[in-house]
């Protein structure tokens, strides 16, 4: 792509004339890229003496330098928040019998509340993204949780199903989701160290969707339908309270604060944070650049084969869980399972998630060791290795589930649950490995790539919610194949969607060479690695240096004259 045209005049800047930025999921990298349409790096006008405080100059105050205990305290709050969000999405199905009894709605119409929530959740994540980049993670997460909790009152007090649909739609649109939670991971861990934290957040994301029906069976049996929303409200309020005691992690916001501190103390009167230098909030948010931020995940879905096919696989795997919210009752009903017993059946999927999470841990240890010893051998495609073995468990699990649906007397009820367990292992592995691969393959553009992944998961889950019951009731109706044939169709789809994993594992480099984003990343990594390592080493040395022997905190970074073309930088969120 052509370099953006800029003035030939030179400006005074720090020795590290680079700004750090991120996009919808906040996956961080420093990126002097030159994509067409990119926003300019935060910088003062040519005749302005102000300069931008960079991450390298203030690494010690950033989330990357938080103590380990503090990082995991913050990420545990993210874990609870993500659990509550996905619990809220999936628990709705337990209120459907109550809707049918009180409002006289059909099953199909009642399921529209789940569909509208998930579809608007898919779009809401991208709408919240630019705000969390500019205002910070903490206020946006608190705003999102507050709105979601407020809409629960509307659901709980609703006396018309129309109001249920309206407040569910508002709840989905108000959910920030991965646009903030994964962003907080990236605020505190360097890309090569993110895997453990990302896996922790992924576990919370998938677990929330199956904890909901486990609890839902008891709610449906013993409580009125309104309690579906009251319990979601209690869970959401606890999550919000827990998160309220966590600090801000967004790098640009912390740099603004540090710059203000240095000016106030007279350390450097000309130093400004990246947001400060760009002007008022309205100027930063309501721009064409912000619109491009929100649109780019969809662009990646349409133009990047890696993102498209792996996101379809991930979306299909997540949709199976929402298919299960409907089909579990039908299949386990063959053994006369009650609502509580049907809900407890989802423990099989939860166990699959936990087992998959445990499988990934030693692999990450091995990968990190290899990155330190032989980094050149750590290609992005290595992130897909476990998926070569765990991905096929999805169609295998579906096949077992299909024939388990024949029911008694020939089949024991444990058979379909074994299939569900394997589906759970595969679902976690697919979500984790595809995100991990996209982070490695797209670097500063990973947020757009993973944003497409998350969009597909929520969108396909939303579409599957009202479609499941007709699928299982209208194919081979009245025959012993009625519950088996639909699952066999899903098995065939699962086989087809798993094939790209092998294609990208063996030929992913070929696709990346033809991606302008991935190619820019290779250049960025080579250029920025020495500066980043120097900043990290400096922060580590400050941790181990006695206070009375530390040098004065006044910035001594030299300035040099740099051609403005050198600063044609694309932030992650461009």
């Amino acid at each position: 792509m052509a370099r953006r045209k800029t003035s030939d005049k030179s400006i005074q800047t720090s020795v590290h004339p680079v700004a750090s930025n991120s996009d919808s999921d906040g996956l961080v990298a420093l990126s002097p890229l030159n994509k067409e349409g990119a926003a300019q790096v935060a910088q003062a006008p040519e005749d302005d003496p102000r300069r931008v405080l960079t991450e390298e100059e203030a690494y010690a105050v950033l989330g990357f330098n938080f103590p380990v205990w503090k990082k995991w305290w913050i990420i545990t709050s993210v874990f609870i928040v993500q659990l509550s969000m996905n619990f809220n999405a999936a628990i709705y199905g337990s209120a459907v019998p109550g809707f049918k009894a009180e409002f006289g709605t059909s099953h199909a119409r009642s399921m529209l509340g789940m569909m509208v929530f998930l579809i608007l959740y898919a779009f809401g994540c991208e709408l919240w993204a630019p705000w969390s980049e500019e205002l910070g993670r903490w206020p946006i997460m608190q705003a999102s949780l507050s709105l979601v909790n407020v809409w629960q009152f509307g659901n709980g007090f609703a006396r018309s199903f129309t109001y249920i649909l309206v407040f569910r739609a508002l709840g989905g649109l108000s959910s920030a989701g991965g646009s903030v939670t994964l962003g907080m991971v990236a605020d505190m861990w360097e890309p090569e160290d993110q895997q453990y934290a990302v896996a922790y957040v992924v576990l919370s994301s998938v677990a929330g969707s199956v904890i909901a029906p486990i609890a839902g069976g008891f709610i449906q049996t013993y409580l009125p339908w309104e309690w579906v929303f009251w319990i979601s409200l209690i869970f959401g309020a606890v999550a919000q309270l827990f998160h309220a005691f966590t600090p801000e992690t967004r790098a640009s916001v912390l740099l603004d604060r540090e710059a203000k501190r240095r000016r106030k103390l007279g350390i450097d009167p000309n130093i400004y944070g990246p947001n400060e230098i760009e002007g008022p909030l309205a100027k930063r948010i309501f721009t064409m650049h912000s619109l491009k931020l929100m649109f780019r995940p969809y662009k990646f879905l349409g133009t990047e084969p890696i993102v498209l096919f792996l996101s379809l696989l991930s979306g299909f795997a997540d949709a199976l869980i929402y298919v299960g919210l409907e089909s579990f009752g039908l299949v386990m009903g063959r053994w006369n399972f009650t609502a509580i017993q049907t809900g407890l059946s989802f423990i099989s999927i939860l166990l699959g998630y936990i087992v998959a999470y445990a499988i990934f841990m030693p692999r990450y240890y091995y990968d990190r060791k290899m990155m330190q010893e032989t980094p050149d051998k750590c290609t992005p495609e290595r992130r897909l290795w476990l998926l070569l073995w765990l991905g096929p468990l999805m169609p295998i699990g579906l096949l077992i589930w299909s024939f388990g649906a024949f029911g008694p007397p020939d089949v024991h009820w444990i058979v379909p649950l074994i299939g569900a367990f394997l589906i759970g292992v595969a679902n976690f592995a697919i979500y984790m490995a595809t995100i991990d691969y996209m982070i490695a393959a797209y670097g500063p553009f990973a947020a757009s790539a993973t944003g497409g992944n998350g969009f597909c998961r929520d969108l396909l889950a939303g579409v599957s919610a009202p479609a499941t019951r007709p699928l299982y009731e209208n194919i081979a109706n009245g025959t012993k194949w009625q519950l088996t044939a639909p699952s066999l169709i899903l098995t065939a789809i699962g086989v087809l969607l798993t094939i790209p994993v092998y294609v990208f594992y063996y030929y992913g480099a070929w696709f990346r060479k033809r991606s302008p984003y991935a190619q820019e990343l290779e250049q960025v990594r080579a250029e920025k690695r020495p500066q980043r390592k120097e900043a990290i080493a400096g922060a580590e040395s400050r941790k181990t240096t006695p206070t009375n022997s530390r040098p004065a905190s006044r910035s001594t970074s030299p300035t040099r004259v740099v051609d403005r073309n050198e600063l044609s930088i694309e932030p992650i969120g461009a």
Side-chain angles (χ1 to χ4, degrees), residues 378-393:
C378 295
T379 64
E381 284 68 38
R382 281 185 54 81
R383 312 292 180 99
L384 294 175
W385 185 83
L386 267 180
L387 198 54
L388 299 178
W389 307 97
L390 299 182
L393 295 182

mmCIF file of all heavy atoms in Angstrom, residues 378-393:
data_model
loop_
_atom_site.group_PDB
_atom_site.id
_atom_site.type_symbol
_atom_site.label_atom_id
_atom_site.label_comp_id
_atom_site.label_asym_id
_atom_site.label_seq_id
_atom_site.Cartn_x
_atom_site.Cartn_y
_atom_site.Cartn_z
ATOM 1 N N CYS A 378 9.359 -20.716 15.866
ATOM 2 C CA CYS A 378 8.001 -20.553 16.398
ATOM 3 C C CYS A 378 7.116 -19.810 15.402
ATOM 4 O O CYS A 378 6.816 -18.623 15.574
ATOM 5 C CB CYS A 378 8.047 -19.820 17.736
ATOM 6 S SG CYS A 378 8.875 -20.753 19.023
ATOM 7 N N THR A 379 6.743 -20.464 14.339
ATOM 8 C CA THR A 379 5.855 -19.851 13.353
ATOM 9 C C THR A 379 4.440 -19.775 13.919
ATOM 10 O O THR A 379 4.067 -20.561 14.804
ATOM 11 C CB THR A 379 5.848 -20.680 12.063
ATOM 12 O OG1 THR A 379 5.297 -21.967 12.347
ATOM 13 C CG2 THR A 379 7.258 -20.824 11.503
ATOM 14 N N PRO A 380 3.626 -18.853 13.420
ATOM 15 C CA PRO A 380 2.241 -18.767 13.911
ATOM 16 C C PRO A 380 1.479 -20.081 13.791
ATOM 17 O O PRO A 380 0.623 -20.385 14.629
ATOM 18 C CB PRO A 380 1.630 -17.675 13.024
ATOM 19 C CG PRO A 380 2.785 -16.808 12.649
ATOM 20 C CD PRO A 380 3.946 -17.759 12.488
ATOM 21 N N GLU A 381 1.806 -20.862 12.762
ATOM 22 C CA GLU A 381 1.061 -22.107 12.533
ATOM 23 C C GLU A 381 1.239 -23.113 13.667
ATOM 24 O O GLU A 381 0.401 -24.009 13.832
ATOM 25 C CB GLU A 381 1.479 -22.736 11.204
ATOM 26 C CG GLU A 381 0.892 -22.051 9.982
ATOM 27 C CD GLU A 381 1.447 -20.647 9.756
ATOM 28 O OE1 GLU A 381 2.664 -20.444 9.995
ATOM 29 O OE2 GLU A 381 0.664 -19.757 9.354
ATOM 30 N N ARG A 382 2.299 -22.974 14.458
ATOM 31 C CA ARG A 382 2.479 -23.864 15.606
ATOM 32 C C ARG A 382 1.314 -23.745 16.587
ATOM 33 O O ARG A 382 1.019 -24.697 17.319
ATOM 34 C CB ARG A 382 3.779 -23.536 16.339
ATOM 35 C CG ARG A 382 5.032 -24.089 15.685
ATOM 36 C CD ARG A 382 6.243 -23.814 16.565
ATOM 37 N NE ARG A 382 6.060 -24.296 17.919
ATOM 38 C CZ ARG A 382 6.234 -25.558 18.298
ATOM 39 N NH1 ARG A 382 6.597 -26.457 17.407
ATOM 40 N NH2 ARG A 382 6.057 -25.914 19.556
ATOM 41 N N ARG A 383 0.653 -22.594 16.588
ATOM 42 C CA ARG A 383 -0.456 -22.401 17.518
ATOM 43 C C ARG A 383 -1.649 -23.314 17.196
ATOM 44 O O ARG A 383 -2.558 -23.447 18.018
ATOM 45 C CB ARG A 383 -0.922 -20.939 17.489
ATOM 46 C CG ARG A 383 0.181 -19.884 17.593
ATOM 47 C CD ARG A 383 0.832 -19.878 18.959
ATOM 48 N NE ARG A 383 1.879 -18.887 19.087
ATOM 49 C CZ ARG A 383 1.718 -17.692 19.653
ATOM 50 N NH1 ARG A 383 0.545 -17.348 20.127
ATOM 51 N NH2 ARG A 383 2.731 -16.868 19.749
ATOM 52 N N LEU A 384 -1.654 -23.889 16.003
ATOM 53 C CA LEU A 384 -2.765 -24.764 15.596
ATOM 54 C C LEU A 384 -2.488 -26.245 15.854
ATOM 55 O O LEU A 384 -3.348 -27.092 15.586
ATOM 56 C CB LEU A 384 -3.071 -24.573 14.102
ATOM 57 C CG LEU A 384 -3.615 -23.211 13.662
ATOM 58 C CD1 LEU A 384 -3.741 -23.156 12.150
ATOM 59 C CD2 LEU A 384 -4.964 -22.926 14.315
ATOM 60 N N TRP A 385 -1.297 -26.569 16.369
ATOM 61 C CA TRP A 385 -0.917 -27.974 16.460
ATOM 62 C C TRP A 385 -1.889 -28.797 17.304
ATOM 63 O O TRP A 385 -2.320 -29.883 16.901
ATOM 64 C CB TRP A 385 0.502 -28.087 17.046
ATOM 65 C CG TRP A 385 1.006 -29.502 17.049
ATOM 66 C CD1 TRP A 385 1.587 -30.180 16.021
ATOM 67 C CD2 TRP A 385 0.951 -30.419 18.156
ATOM 68 N NE1 TRP A 385 1.906 -31.461 16.403
ATOM 69 C CE2 TRP A 385 1.529 -31.646 17.717
ATOM 70 C CE3 TRP A 385 0.481 -30.340 19.462
ATOM 71 C CZ2 TRP A 385 1.636 -32.759 18.536
ATOM 72 C CZ3 TRP A 385 0.585 -31.451 20.288
ATOM 73 C CH2 TRP A 385 1.155 -32.645 19.816
ATOM 74 N N LEU A 386 -2.259 -28.308 18.483
ATOM 75 C CA LEU A 386 -3.190 -29.049 19.322
ATOM 76 C C LEU A 386 -4.550 -29.215 18.656
ATOM 77 O O LEU A 386 -5.239 -30.228 18.848
ATOM 78 C CB LEU A 386 -3.358 -28.344 20.667
ATOM 79 C CG LEU A 386 -2.446 -28.789 21.809
ATOM 80 C CD1 LEU A 386 -2.742 -27.984 23.062
ATOM 81 C CD2 LEU A 386 -2.600 -30.280 22.095
ATOM 82 N N LEU A 387 -4.933 -28.228 17.859
ATOM 83 C CA LEU A 387 -6.236 -28.288 17.203
ATOM 84 C C LEU A 387 -6.288 -29.392 16.151
ATOM 85 O O LEU A 387 -7.371 -29.882 15.821
ATOM 86 C CB LEU A 387 -6.569 -26.932 16.573
ATOM 87 C CG LEU A 387 -8.036 -26.682 16.218
ATOM 88 C CD1 LEU A 387 -8.937 -26.908 17.424
ATOM 89 C CD2 LEU A 387 -8.215 -25.270 15.676
ATOM 90 N N LEU A 388 -5.134 -29.780 15.623
ATOM 91 C CA LEU A 388 -5.109 -30.909 14.684
ATOM 92 C C LEU A 388 -5.671 -32.167 15.330
ATOM 93 O O LEU A 388 -6.264 -33.017 14.656
ATOM 94 C CB LEU A 388 -3.681 -31.180 14.207
ATOM 95 C CG LEU A 388 -2.946 -30.063 13.456
ATOM 96 C CD1 LEU A 388 -1.536 -30.511 13.117
ATOM 97 C CD2 LEU A 388 -3.706 -29.657 12.208
ATOM 98 N N TRP A 389 -5.475 -32.291 16.646
ATOM 99 C CA TRP A 389 -5.906 -33.481 17.369
ATOM 100 C C TRP A 389 -7.229 -33.282 18.091
ATOM 101 O O TRP A 389 -8.024 -34.228 18.197
ATOM 102 C CB TRP A 389 -4.829 -33.882 18.389
ATOM 103 C CG TRP A 389 -3.477 -34.019 17.768
ATOM 104 C CD1 TRP A 389 -2.470 -33.087 17.730
ATOM 105 C CD2 TRP A 389 -2.988 -35.150 17.027
ATOM 106 N NE1 TRP A 389 -1.397 -33.572 17.038
ATOM 107 C CE2 TRP A 389 -1.676 -34.841 16.590
ATOM 108 C CE3 TRP A 389 -3.525 -36.401 16.700
ATOM 109 C CZ2 TRP A 389 -0.903 -35.716 15.854
ATOM 110 C CZ3 TRP A 389 -2.759 -37.282 15.965
ATOM 111 C CH2 TRP A 389 -1.468 -36.940 15.544
ATOM 112 N N LEU A 390 -7.470 -32.081 18.578
ATOM 113 C CA LEU A 390 -8.683 -31.832 19.353
ATOM 114 C C LEU A 390 -9.852 -31.368 18.491
ATOM 115 O O LEU A 390 -11.015 -31.596 18.849
ATOM 116 C CB LEU A 390 -8.396 -30.798 20.443
ATOM 117 C CG LEU A 390 -7.330 -31.175 21.472
ATOM 118 C CD1 LEU A 390 -7.181 -30.071 22.516
ATOM 119 C CD2 LEU A 390 -7.640 -32.504 22.134
ATOM 120 N N GLY A 391 -9.565 -30.713 17.364
ATOM 121 C CA GLY A 391 -10.632 -30.243 16.482
ATOM 122 C C GLY A 391 -11.554 -31.352 15.993
ATOM 123 O O GLY A 391 -12.789 -31.202 16.008
ATOM 124 N N PRO A 392 -11.024 -32.501 15.560
ATOM 125 C CA PRO A 392 -11.897 -33.586 15.083
ATOM 126 C C PRO A 392 -12.823 -34.150 16.159
ATOM 127 O O PRO A 392 -13.773 -34.875 15.832
ATOM 128 C CB PRO A 392 -10.892 -34.661 14.623
ATOM 129 C CG PRO A 392 -9.654 -33.903 14.285
ATOM 130 C CD PRO A 392 -9.609 -32.781 15.284
ATOM 131 N N LEU A 393 -12.560 -33.854 17.423
ATOM 132 C CA LEU A 393 -13.464 -34.333 18.471
ATOM 133 C C LEU A 393 -14.854 -33.728 18.336
ATOM 134 O O LEU A 393 -15.828 -34.289 18.862
ATOM 135 C CB LEU A 393 -12.882 -34.013 19.855
ATOM 136 C CG LEU A 393 -11.583 -34.722 20.226
ATOM 137 C CD1 LEU A 393 -11.162 -34.337 21.635
ATOM 138 C CD2 LEU A 393 -11.736 -36.238 20.112
#
